[in-house]
Every structure is written in structure tokens, then in C-alpha cells.
Amino acid sequence: MINNNIQLDEQGRLKHFLSIEGLKRQQLVSILDAAETFANVQEQAVKKVPLLRGKTIVNLFFEASTRTRTTFELAAKRLSADVLNININTSATSKGESLLDMLHNLESMHCDMFIVRHNQSGAAHFIARHVSPHISVINAGDGCHSHPSQAMLDMFTIRRHKKEFANLKVVIVGDILHSRVARSQMHALTTLGVSEIRVVGPKTLIPAGINTFGVHVYHNMQEAIIDADVIIMLRLQKERMQGALLPSEDEYYHNYGLTEKKLSYARPDAIVMHPGPINRGVEIASSIADGPQSVILEQVTNGIAIRMAVMSQTLSPRTETTKTGSTV
Ligand code: CP
């Protein structure tokens, strides 16, 4: 069991951002509202605000990433922070230095925040427990456990299109078993009051204990998708699969790939989401990924505003942001 309480300070404010689990509805709404302000900043000619001027933020990605790493870097730069991208392959950890020794060395350089992606569940929590009190840790994805900033940018995208969460039918499709994104999304959707969350996938890719999330489980995609407002497709995480959990990619696509025919069972104004990276012809048809109902690239754009919100709230929790993004 991973302890999520360490992400809050004595006043109940965000100090680290490790997991959606343990956060209250108002805390999630506050991140979404702050992200609206930062999204407006990005429409301006000068896309920067001085909120984190003088702060140093370190990207520590022990696992591959395109979207998360670059949008955290852009978000930090748009908050006027200095950013270090540590290349793990050429760092001294490749000479045998331990993770904690590396972190203590970075602390001694007066860094303020570590953004951590790691293939081990609980890695960001472990780091948060061992760093100096002035350092904030952001979880950028740990194993199959949690990807909270991804879930928040997904909530932001849903709110922009659907306005209210309460009456939505949201379907999450595919490899739920290995998906840290799905776990964080289920926590976020539940906390924000979505009335019907459905998950659908082959029995081999639905985790035991899924019922504790309060979701409806389906194995037939057509049934799951009927009248859906939001369809979230997941990547097949073959790198995390041990043994043969699937007969073949072709059969998976036939049963669980999002095609025009399957999409026709959803509401006509349904939006199609995917955290990326997408596998065309495995999880989703190209005509859908590039089609009018897809908001996949919007999700990427929204990641910058959400990450600005998360970084500013954890690193300067006493700082308020005005509508124009200036500090008061
Ligand atoms: N969605 C997501 O985490 O993408 P990356 O692996 O490219 O960061």
C-alpha cells in the first residue's frame, strides 16, 4: 500500500504531487481552475509568467517519454524556472552511484523540484520520503501505479468540452491492467463526480479488484460504448506484459480497436481521447485518431497548462495567481 498522505503539508496544501488518490474534489478543481488561467497565458504573445523565477526544476526520467517530459519542461520555462534535464544513461548512476546519492548531489546544487518518471511503482513516493524538506516531488508516471498529471490534463480536456462532470458516461478501453493512466483517471473521475465510469477490455487485461474503483466492467466493446460521452483509449503496454495475455494484435483490434463502426454507438458529440503514444491499427483506426471527434492533440497542449498549475501550486502554495497570470 502506497502512502499518499505525504503529498500534503500540515495545512493540507499540496507539497508533492504523487497521486490523485487522497486528494479532495476541491483540490482537483483548484488545479483545473489554475490551468485555465495558464492556458490563457499561452494564447498571449509572451507566454511567460514570473511565478517560479529563481527556482530550479530537475527532470529525472528513468523511462522513455515524449509528451510528459517535454511539456513539464515547457511548463517550467513558461513559469520562468530554470530547468535541468538529467540524461540518466550518461549520469553517474551508470557508474554505480545510487539513486539517493544522485538526488542528494542534486539537492546540494540548491534544486527545488524533482519531476520523476520511473518503471517501478512507488518510486516517486520513495523519493519524496527521502529528499530534503524544501524539495517538491512530482510523479510523472510510476510503473503501473499512477500518472496524476496525465489524469488532470484529461479532466481539463473533458471539462473544456463537456462543462460538467456529473452526468457523463465515460468509457476507458483496453489494457487497464498495466495502465497507471487508467488508475489515475478512475480516481479523478470518481472524485469529480462522474456518474458512470465504464471500463472495457479482455478478461486478461482487467485487474483483480477493479470493483473497488466503483466502475462498471464490460468485455464487449459495443455494449460498453453505447451512449458514451467520452471514450478514452489506452495503449497496449506490451513492455509490461509477462507471458501471452493476448491472442494477437489483429484479434485485439477486431474486438477492442476503436473503428468508425464501434464509435457510431456512442453519442454523436462524444469525444475520443488517448494519452499517447498511440498505436494506429492496434488500439485505434487512423480515421478516428485524426478525425473530428479526436481531442488527442488537444490533450497534449492542455498538458502544459495543467503542469504549470501543478508546479506552481506545489512549489509556491501561498502564491495566488490573478486572471492575467501575474503574481500577487
Ligand atoms: N502520455 C504519456 O505519458 O506520454 P509519454 O510517455 O510520451 O510521456
Side-chain angles (χ1 to χ4, degrees):
M1 189 67 168
I2 295 172
N3 175 12
N4 293 309
N5 293 338
I6 59 167
Q7 62 187 343
L8 303 178
D9 68 13
E10 289 98 29
Q11 283 77 42
R13 290 178 297 214
L14 272 185
K15 171 169 171 47
H16 307 291
F17 189 60
L18 305 174
S19 171
I20 301 292
E21 209 176 351
L23 298 182
K24 295 190 165 64
R25 180 178 181 280
Q26 192 45 47
Q27 286 167 314
L28 302 192
V29 171
S30 165
I31 292 170
L32 296 177
D33 290 346
E36 282 294 349
T37 304
F38 291 124
N40 293 336
V41 169
Q42 292 182 80
E43 304 297 323
Q44 296 168 12
V46 178
K47 299 179 179 62
K48 278 198 174 203
V49 289
L51 274 174
L52 298 188
R53 193 167 51 198
K55 301 288 186 188
T56 303
I57 294 175
V58 186
N59 263 335
L60 285 165
F61 278 63
F62 295 86
E63 199 188 66
S65 169
T66 299
R67 282 146 287 268
T68 311
R69 195 192 63 73
T70 49
T71 52
F72 264 116
E73 180 174 350
L74 268 178
K77 287 178 171 168
R78 289 181 185 174
L79 290 167
S80 306
D82 296 317
V83 184
L84 298 178
N85 286 302
I86 304 296
N87 184 338
I88 300 299
N89 293 331
T90 57
S91 75
T93 52
S94 65
K95 299 181 192 164
E97 184 173 56
S98 76
L99 171 64
L100 286 182
D101 280 334
M102 180 174 84
L103 296 176
H104 293 322
N105 276 274
L106 290 168
E107 281 178 18
S108 72
M109 300 172 203
H110 300 290
C111 296
D112 299 287
M113 173 178 277
F114 295 147
I115 297 168
V116 181
R117 169 167 289 193
H118 204 286
N119 65 2
Q120 295 296 317
S121 296
H125 287 72
F126 173 82
I127 290 170
R129 280 199 305 277
H130 287 88
V131 292
S132 300
H134 76 277
I135 303 244
S136 288
V137 178
I138 307 279
N139 184 1
D142 63 323
C144 300
H145 172 242
S146 184
H147 195 347
S149 64
Q150 176 70 46
M152 289 310 296
L153 73 88
D154 295 334
M155 299 307 113
F156 185 81
T157 306
I158 292 172
R159 191 173 80 164
R160 281 201 145 185
H161 281 271
K162 300 295 175 189
K163 310 298 178 218
E164 300 287 338
F165 288 102
N167 297 316
L168 293 180
K169 292 183 179 68
V170 179
V171 190
I172 307 176
V173 183
D175 184 0
I176 314 289
L177 179 65
H178 300 102
S179 180
R180 56 196 178 205
V181 173
R183 280 178 184 72
S184 291
Q185 288 168 337
M186 289 188 285
H187 284 300
L189 290 165
T190 305
T191 305
L192 289 167
V194 169
S195 57
E196 194 167 341
I197 305 167
R198 305 170 184 172
V199 299
V200 55
K203 285 185 179 148
T204 49
L205 296 180
I206 302 287
I210 187 79
N211 294 331
T212 61
F213 286 93
V215 299
H216 303 272
V217 179
Y218 293 75
H219 299 295
N220 179 298
M221 184 148 165
Q222 179 181 318
E223 286 172 15
I225 243 170
I226 289 172
D227 287 339
D229 300 286
V230 177
I231 302 167
I232 303 175
M233 303 304 298
L234 299 173
R235 183 174 68 86
L236 270 185
Q237 302 202 20
K238 285 180 280 186
E239 74 276 18
R240 298 192 207 281
M241 292 186 192
Q242 286 161 358
L245 294 178
L246 289 171
S248 72
E249 282 185 359
D250 284 349
E251 191 172 334
Y252 180 83
Y253 183 66
H254 177 74
N255 290 323
Y256 298 104
L258 188 60
T259 57
E260 306 272 357
K261 173 104 174 68
K262 293 196 192 94
L263 181 56
S264 71
Y265 292 99
R267 286 176 55 93
D269 63 350
I271 56 170
V272 176
M273 305 175 71
H274 192 309
I278 64 172
N279 289 307
R280 293 168 187 265
V282 179
E283 301 116 27
I284 189 165
S286 275
S287 60
I288 308 285
D290 303 328
Q293 287 170 267
S294 169
V295 296
I296 294 170
L297 293 179
E298 259 182 65
Q299 289 172 261
V300 178
T301 304
N302 292 340
I304 302 170
I306 278 290
R307 286 167 177 138
M308 288 172 81
V310 167
M311 284 193 282
S312 61
Q313 291 201 355
T314 46
L315 213 44
S316 55
R318 288 163 198 81
T319 308
E320 299 293 330
T321 312
T322 68
K323 288 281 175 213
T324 57
S326 60
T327 314
V328 294

